[in-house]
Amino acid sequence: MTRKSTVDESGMTGTWQILPAATAEALTLQITAAFRHWHEACFRDSQAAHPHLGVELRDLRPVTGWWLGHLLTPIALYRICIPTAIPALPLPEGWTAAERAAHPCLALGPLLPLPVPGLIGQGHLHHLPELGHFLLQPEVQGLRRYPDANAVFAAWGQVLSFRQQTRANLEKQQQCDRRAFLRRLMPTPKDGAL
């Protein structure tokens, strides 16, 4: 069961439908069951689906106002962002829970800014009746080249390591550039001057 924010006279909400509070263990089971059902109903025969991958959720953790995790489906590996409170993002037209019930097999919805602390970029709005509204960020697609779930997660781990190393190298370069700039501004001490 999900809770909704405000309801108008027609009985439809114009805001996010969110899950009631849950533990990480309970939510993990709920998310994997919902995505198994969604995949079976909508994408079981898709050419994009990896025939030997199932639905798996890893690293689910709470972040201020959100649950974050990495969700593997036979279609793609996603970062899933599930709100614990109604975010300050209006739903685009056509995205109420009632409207989404008529279109259950949409893979990725419209892009919205990620209001999640510590994350940058955008996420695709999505809705499943069992989970309410949430955001998905595709991380790894084209999964047929990977033999199993561990290989998919390892590939994503390599991307993260590369990003961290690149950031560290950029920070080091910026520090060196600052030092070189400051050296040019500072007078050079004269030999023997005290």
Side-chain angles (χ1 to χ4, degrees):
M1 186 61 143
T2 57
R3 58 188 160 108
K4 300 174 184 176
S5 63
T6 56
V7 179
D8 64 18
E9 310 83 45
S10 69
M12 288 206 243
T13 180
T15 59
W16 292 63
Q17 180 184 13
I18 60 169
L19 292 171
T23 64
E25 295 79 20
L27 189 54
T28 296
L29 293 174
Q30 193 171 355
I31 292 169
T32 54
F35 272 89
R36 280 186 191 115
H37 177 261
W38 181 64
H39 176 73
E40 186 65 25
C42 301
F43 301 103
R44 178 184 51 188
D45 297 324
S46 169
Q47 292 297 318
H50 190 301
H52 305 296
L53 290 180
V55 174
E56 187 176 334
L57 181 65
R58 293 188 186 180
D59 304 322
L60 185 66
R61 67 191 187 286
V63 174
T64 307
W66 296 83
W67 283 100
L68 298 181
H70 297 281
L71 175 70
L72 178 66
T73 72
I75 300 289
L77 174 64
Y78 303 98
R79 179 190 315 258
I80 186 168
C81 309
I82 298 180
T84 59
I86 296 169
L89 289 173
L91 286 178
E93 188 176 323
W95 275 87
T96 65
E99 290 166 320
R100 296 321 314 151
H103 306 284
C105 291
L106 180 66
L108 293 173
L111 280 170
L112 298 178
L114 277 175
V116 182
L119 295 184
I120 57 172
Q122 298 177 316
H124 291 274
L125 181 62
H126 201 68
H127 179 274
L128 292 176
E130 307 91 335
L131 301 178
H133 291 94
F134 54 93
L135 298 172
L136 290 175
Q137 275 188 315
E139 294 178 326
V140 179
Q141 298 177 331
L143 301 183
R144 286 185 171 265
R145 63 184 163 205
Y146 300 102
D148 57 29
N150 288 334
V152 176
F153 282 103
W156 182 242
Q158 289 174 345
V159 169
L160 292 179
S161 294
F162 177 78
R163 285 182 182 174
Q164 289 170 344
Q165 186 60 47
T166 301
R167 283 187 194 123
N169 290 343
L170 285 173
E171 288 174 11
K172 187 176 179 180
Q173 182 63 42
Q174 286 174 346
Q175 288 173 353
C176 290
D177 290 347
R178 282 187 207 117
R179 285 187 200 121
F181 177 74
L182 289 173
R183 268 190 234 115
R184 282 185 266 143
L185 294 177
M186 310 267 298
T188 308
K190 304 275 186 207
D191 289 335
L194 288 174

